Amino acid sequence: MTGISRRSFFIGSAVAGVSTLTSAGRVFSLDAALESLYGPAPGIAKLNANENPYGPSPAALKAMMKASAHGAYYVRESAQRLREMIAERHGLTTDHVVLSSGSSGVLTYLALASSQQGAILAPDLFWDTTSLMGVRNGSNGIMRLPKSASLAIDLQAMETALNADISMVHVTNPNNPTGMVLDSDELRAFCSRASEKCTVLVDEAYNELTDDPAASTMIPLVKAGKNVAVARTFSKIYGLAGMRVGYMIAKPELLEKVKQYGLGDYGLNQAGVAAAVASYNDEAFLAFSKTKIIEAREMVSEAIRRNGLTALPSETNFMFVNLGSTNADSFRAAMADRNVLIRGIYRDYNHWSRVSMGKLEDVQMYVDALPAALEAAS
Ligand SMILES: Cc1ncc(COP(=O)(O)O)c(C=O)c1O
């Protein structure tokens, strides 16, 4: 780098904007490219990945700037600090915590380990990306329960379906894409009994968004020594999806299976871990985000009611809307034509549409586009 130090380049680029030369010798404005390289282009309401666009928090941004200046070094102490913070909150040891690049990492590793032993039992509809990845190379697949009428996870049916071929039960609470939360007492009782027969995985990616996060978490079962693993992430309420930090809490023997497949701290990055440390206890930012998400849910609820539709009760930052006779893929296309990005059909749930709660102005775009998009898609 000529003329300026690396440090002033970094600070300058963060505040003032940068142009650089491409290999073809053309001037390329990073400022302009940044707009759509790292997130949605201006004017696009991105409501399709359950992100929290109010993040990163100011504290996380500051920590990332600092950590990035030390990006020459592999992650070590900062990851240990994060494990300590997590363990301390739950009265566990750092041996009960494994970090990974997003919770997708730990979720996939556990699915890989479990599918060596047997099948994974799961509801018909859940966030199945990592379990599908886990069973891809094994001979044991995912055993799905039949659809339930309410689209809630039927714990009784799950317990009845448990047999010697099952190595792991996969529960997502709140579930994605439904947004529904299970009754805490029923889930706790189910996890206790099921964990006598196999590993129980509870994916709590959206726990902090529920009405009562402390009551709905299954982490106390880990403390009680049960064969239960809980996955959490900094991608959702913490607003750090692009920084890739997640973790699993379980007893050390179970985490040994997970660690076989992961890269440990080698798979982490300084800025992400720094942002997670800075955000973990940032109650003001978390409360702010939750308030905005609840406000957005009210806007969507009101809009769908006005348009004669219903949605499942959500305790998350997304809603699963029943479109009646409208096809969810056609509706997604009609929304995209109006610069609103949402999800299309899941499995054979042809008339259900998931929308994430973004910034209120983006949610307003969804609300405004709803009548015309419904008409166009019908
Ligand atoms: C239920 C659930 N679990 C886990 C994840 C994975 O997120 P990440 O890998 O960013 O932690 C997602 C992402 O949407 C999710 O919906």
Side-chain angles (χ1 to χ4, degrees):
M1 189 165 292
T2 53
I4 53 170
S5 70
R6 275 170 62 88
R7 189 173 170 77
S8 63
F9 172 81
F10 176 73
I11 293 167
S13 63
V15 296
V18 178
S19 293
T20 191
L21 282 179
T22 66
S23 53
R26 280 197 305 268
V27 174
F28 168 80
S29 161
L30 280 183
D31 251 7
L34 276 176
E35 297 275 7
S36 51
L37 199 55
Y38 301 131
I44 301 292
K46 186 174 185 301
L47 306 175
N48 60 0
N50 300 344
E51 294 140 327
N52 172 14
Y54 289 103
S57 70
L61 280 173
K62 208 168 143 191
M64 284 193 270
M65 290 281 280
K66 254 194 179 156
S68 298
H70 298 279
Y73 302 103
Y74 291 114
V75 171
R76 250 178 84 98
E77 284 79 3
S78 58
Q80 184 59 14
R81 163 82 71 86
L82 183 56
R83 275 189 291 271
E84 282 164 10
M85 291 170 78
I86 294 166
E88 190 189 324
R89 177 176 296 177
H90 300 291
L92 296 165
T93 71
T94 52
D95 290 340
H96 289 82
V97 183
V98 169
L99 303 174
S100 64
S101 173
S103 59
S104 300
V106 280
L107 285 163
T108 303
Y109 310 146
L110 183 58
L112 280 164
S114 298
S115 66
Q116 302 299 314
Q117 313 292 320
I120 296 174
L121 178 64
D124 185 52
L125 197 56
F126 73 114
W127 195 70
D128 56 12
T129 307
T130 56
S131 271
L132 282 171
M133 189 81 83
V135 300
R136 193 170 290 165
N137 296 314
S139 47
N140 299 297
I142 299 180
M143 190 183 141
R144 294 180 192 254
L145 297 174
K147 268 184 192 146
S148 75
S150 66
L151 303 199
I153 298 174
D154 185 342
L155 292 176
Q156 220 157 17
M158 205 166 220
E159 196 157 353
T160 306
L162 255 184
N163 62 38
D165 297 334
I166 309 292
S167 62
M168 182 172 89
V169 167
H170 188 154
V171 176
T172 311
N173 189 47
N175 200 6
N176 178 8
T178 67
M180 285 192 287
V181 73
L182 287 158
D183 177 87
S184 302
D185 292 335
E186 283 173 23
L187 179 59
R188 199 169 302 110
F190 166 82
C191 289
S192 291
R193 286 194 298 268
S195 66
E196 300 295 325
K197 299 186 177 159
C198 66
T199 299
V200 176
L201 166 63
V202 188
D203 180 352
E204 295 187 352
Y206 303 95
N207 168 270
E208 299 87 352
L209 286 157
T210 61
D211 295 347
D212 192 348
S216 52
T217 181
M218 294 298 122
I219 292 175
L221 294 179
V222 175
K223 203 170 172 191
K226 305 275 182 194
N227 191 20
V228 171
V230 175
R232 291 278 188 97
T233 184
F234 285 90
S235 298
K236 305 303 175 185
I237 195 168
Y238 293 94
L240 295 172
M243 302 315 300
R244 312 306 300 131
V245 187
Y247 55 100
M248 183 167 280
I249 294 184
K251 59 184 177 182
E253 307 92 274
L254 179 50
L255 288 184
E256 283 311 314
K257 292 189 195 170
V258 173
K259 286 179 184 173
Q260 291 177 77
Y261 295 94
L263 291 167
D265 293 351
Y266 207 52
L268 302 170
N269 73 91
Q270 290 288 19
V273 176
V277 168
S279 305
Y280 191 58
N281 292 317
D282 189 346
E283 297 304 332
F285 173 72
L286 299 180
F288 168 80
S289 296
K290 200 164 172 173
T291 304
K292 292 289 181 192
I293 288 161
I294 291 171
E295 203 175 324
R297 278 204 317 248
E298 282 162 6
M299 287 166 66
V300 172
S301 299
E302 171 59 19
I304 59 174
R305 194 191 55 73
R306 269 201 315 270
N307 285 275
L309 304 176
T310 57
L312 296 179
S314 167
E315 288 194 29
T316 57
N317 61 342
F318 54 90
M319 293 178 75
F320 209 35
V321 179
N322 185 346
L323 297 176
S325 56
T326 303
N327 177 285
D329 278 349
S330 310
F331 180 62
R332 170 169 64 174
M335 275 288 180
D337 287 344
R338 291 158 180 82
N339 292 333
V340 180
L341 308 183
I342 58 167
R343 290 297 301 261
I345 296 174
Y346 283 85
R347 295 172 65 73
D348 60 348
Y349 295 74
N350 298 345
H351 305 290
W352 288 89
S353 163
R354 196 194 76 180
V355 55
S356 307
M357 304 301 110
K359 288 208 164 155
L360 296 185
E361 56 268 32
D362 292 340
V363 174
Q364 188 62 49
M365 281 175 66
Y366 174 90
V367 167
D368 292 343
L370 192 54
L374 277 174
E375 199 176 313
S378 299

